């Protein structure tokens, strides 16, 4: 059998050859914190003394978790939720608002573990796009039925990509609250301002305000990317070095960047996680700047799935802080693209260490 060190480019595994079929039941079963956050707890979050809101967020999220554990099973509507004297007081959801890199995902994952690992209750954890993909795969009412048995549903990186998703997520959350499910979400935008800069928010004000009214807001201050700037991406490697790393590392994939971008259009985003799940490193030859919005947003989802699974990226071409055009970076999806640049750059720094 050919050893990894002597494989040619044609013998290497390729992401562009993968098109996994994920059963809907698996999509539901995989609604758990990503491996990067599988062991975090409130106790492992270290609040900055310069930003008291961080310690307040820990206390607020932990208290909310206590309310989830004190609550009973699913109830038959909002009236039942609030009229029963034994029901915990407060809004049915908590919304963790803060800048980039202040630990919101750490806190949301800690809340999940408080409820599931320590409290023995059921919960679901996913990103905003994973829930919209779930609805697309199952249908709306089956998705509600699949999520409703949980005591808590956690929504990370709450985003409004388009008006249809606004209406969809608003309706989904109302249905879950009606069944007694508690909600927790993170975002970089206050709930009343969701959608600003992306579409005519006033046309969907009713839907946006309906979302906002379901959450108590817990602010998390701290230094964010708008003030500190993104860390520079590592220098790209030569093409032959990328191929050498791929050949030497068992489980690594090797692709031309344009081929991966084209393949992403053929795979539903709900399957990106399964597509990269068994990969030990993603090696990309010829990374180039992306100017198309749809291509860019698919790359954002791929970057999130790679980051969740802590998969190093080894790349040649342009550095990842130049992978999106200025037009995309300054548009309505700015936060998504900046997050992707930061995450891809971090994974590329890990990938650069594989050269040895």
């Amino acid at each position: 059998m050919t050893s990894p060190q002597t494989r040619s480019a044609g013998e290497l595994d390729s992401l562009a050859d993968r098109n996994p079929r994920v059963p809907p039941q698996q999509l539901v079963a995989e609604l758990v914190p990503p491996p990067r956050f599988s062991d975090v707890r409130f106790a492992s979050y270290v609040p900055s003394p310069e930003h008291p809101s961080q310690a307040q967020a820990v206390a607020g999220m932990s208290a909310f978790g206590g309310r989830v554990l004190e609550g009973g099973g699913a109830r038959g509507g909002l009236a039942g939720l609030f009229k029963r004297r034994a029901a915990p007081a407060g809004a049915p959801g908590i919304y963790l608002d803060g800048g980039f890199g202040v630990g919101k995902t750490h806190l949301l994952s800690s809340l999940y573990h408080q409820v599931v690992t320590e409290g023995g209750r059921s919960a679901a954890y996913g990103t905003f796009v994973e829930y919209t993909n779930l609805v697309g795969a199952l249908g709306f009412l089956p998705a509600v039925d699949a999520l409703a048995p949980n005591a808590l549903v956690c929504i990370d990186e709450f985003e409004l990509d388009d008006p249809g998703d606004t209406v969809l997520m608003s309706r989904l959350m109302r249905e879950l609250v009606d069944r007694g499910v508690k909600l927790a979400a993170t975002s970089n935008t206050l709930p009343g301002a969701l959608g600003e800069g992306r579409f005519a928010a006033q046309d969907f004000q009713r839907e946006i305000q309906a979302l906002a009214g379901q959450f108590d807001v817990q602010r998390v201050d701290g230094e964010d990317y708008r003030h500190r700037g993104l860390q520079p991406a590592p220098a790209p490697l030569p093409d032959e070095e990328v191929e050498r790393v791929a050949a030497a590392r068992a489980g690594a994939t090797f692709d031309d960047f344009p081929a991966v971008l084209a393949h992403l259009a053929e795979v539903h985003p709900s399957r990106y996680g399964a597509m990269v799940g068994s990969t030990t490193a993603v090696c990309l030859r010829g990374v180039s700047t992306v100017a198309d919005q749809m291509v860019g947003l698919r790359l954002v989802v791929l970057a999130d799935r790679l980051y969740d699974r802590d998969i190093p990226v080894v790349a040649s071409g342009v550095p990842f802080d130049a992978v999106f055009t200025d037009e995309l970076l300054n548009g309505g999806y700015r936060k998504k693209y900046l997050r992707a640049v930061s995450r891809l750059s971090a994974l590329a720094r890990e990938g650069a260490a594989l050269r040895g």
Side-chain angles (χ1 to χ4, degrees):
M1 183 174 182
T2 304
S3 67
Q5 287 76 13
T6 61
R7 289 181 298 171
S8 66
E11 297 173 309
L12 298 176
D13 193 10
S14 168
L15 284 183
D17 291 336
R18 297 181 178 183
N19 194 353
R21 301 296 173 184
V22 182
Q25 298 81 359
Q26 183 176 336
L27 293 177
V28 177
E30 291 178 347
L31 289 174
V32 297
R36 184 179 288 267
F37 298 97
S38 60
D39 295 323
V40 301
R41 299 293 187 272
F42 288 125
S44 62
Y45 181 89
V46 182
S48 169
E50 298 177 359
H51 301 286
S53 64
Q54 294 186 8
Q56 293 166 5
V58 174
M61 291 287 279
S62 179
F64 182 80
R67 285 168 46 198
V68 174
L69 294 175
E70 290 171 6
R75 302 179 181 88
L78 282 172
L81 178 65
F82 291 111
K83 285 185 178 179
R84 297 192 181 191
R85 293 182 181 180
I94 189 166
Y95 191 101
L96 200 60
D97 175 76
F100 183 85
V102 295
K104 300 185 303 298
T105 300
H106 183 135
L107 292 173
L108 188 66
S109 299
S110 299
L111 174 64
Y112 174 94
H113 292 303
Q114 178 188 9
V115 170
V116 176
T117 307
E118 300 168 14
R121 301 290 298 278
S122 61
Y125 182 108
T127 62
F128 180 90
V129 74
E130 285 177 317
Y131 286 111
T132 58
N133 289 340
L134 180 70
V135 173
L138 298 183
F140 183 80
L141 289 178
V144 174
D145 289 339
L147 295 171
N150 292 295
L152 172 71
V153 168
C154 300
I155 308 168
D156 198 18
E157 295 294 348
F158 202 106
E159 299 166 342
L160 297 178
D161 297 343
D162 57 51
D165 283 348
T166 307
V167 176
L168 175 68
M169 288 302 292
S170 177
R171 184 181 168 206
L172 177 66
M173 290 194 300
R174 286 200 303 269
E175 290 281 349
L176 292 175
V177 169
D178 282 350
R179 300 197 190 191
V181 180
K182 295 292 192 297
L183 306 173
T186 75
S187 179
N188 296 323
T189 308
L190 286 169
L194 288 173
E196 290 182 1
R198 302 186 186 179
F199 54 86
Q202 63 271 20
D203 292 341
F204 296 89
Q205 190 71 21
R206 183 176 303 172
E207 291 295 336
I208 291 171
Q209 291 305 318
L211 297 182
Q214 302 207 8
F215 294 91
D216 286 332
V217 177
Q218 182 73 61
R219 178 69 187 173
V220 188
D221 294 306
E223 188 181 13
D224 67 40
Y225 67 86
R226 288 180 293 270
H227 300 143
R228 69 174 182 257
L230 292 168
Q231 290 183 287
L237 303 180
D239 288 350
E240 59 272 15
E241 186 75 359
V242 175
E243 184 176 345
R244 186 192 69 78
V245 172
R249 185 173 178 84
T253 58
F254 178 72
D255 292 88
D256 288 315
F257 186 66
V260 171
L261 296 184
H263 184 59
L264 293 181
E266 305 299 323
V267 180
H268 193 276
S270 64
R271 303 204 298 268
Y272 287 8
M275 185 174 68
V276 303
S278 61
T279 306
T280 62
V282 168
C283 300
L284 300 172
R285 181 170 58 186
V287 173
S288 56
T289 300
V290 173
D292 182 88
Q293 187 87 271
M294 293 305 298
V295 175
L297 291 175
R298 287 192 287 265
L299 181 57
V300 167
V301 177
L302 178 65
D304 287 342
R305 300 291 80 79
L306 292 172
Y307 184 81
D308 288 346
R309 290 157 177 78
D310 205 12
I311 299 173
V313 175
V314 183
S316 66
V318 304
F320 282 117
D321 53 10
V323 75
F324 301 114
T325 63
D326 289 342
E327 182 180 4
L328 293 185
L329 288 175
N330 294 321
Y333 298 98
R334 171 179 170 82
K335 290 176 182 176
K336 277 192 171 187
Y337 290 125
L338 288 174
R339 184 179 77 235
V341 168
S342 177
R343 290 182 168 183
L344 287 171
S345 297
L347 295 176
R349 283 189 287 272
E350 296 177 10
L354 302 180
R355 297 179 68 182

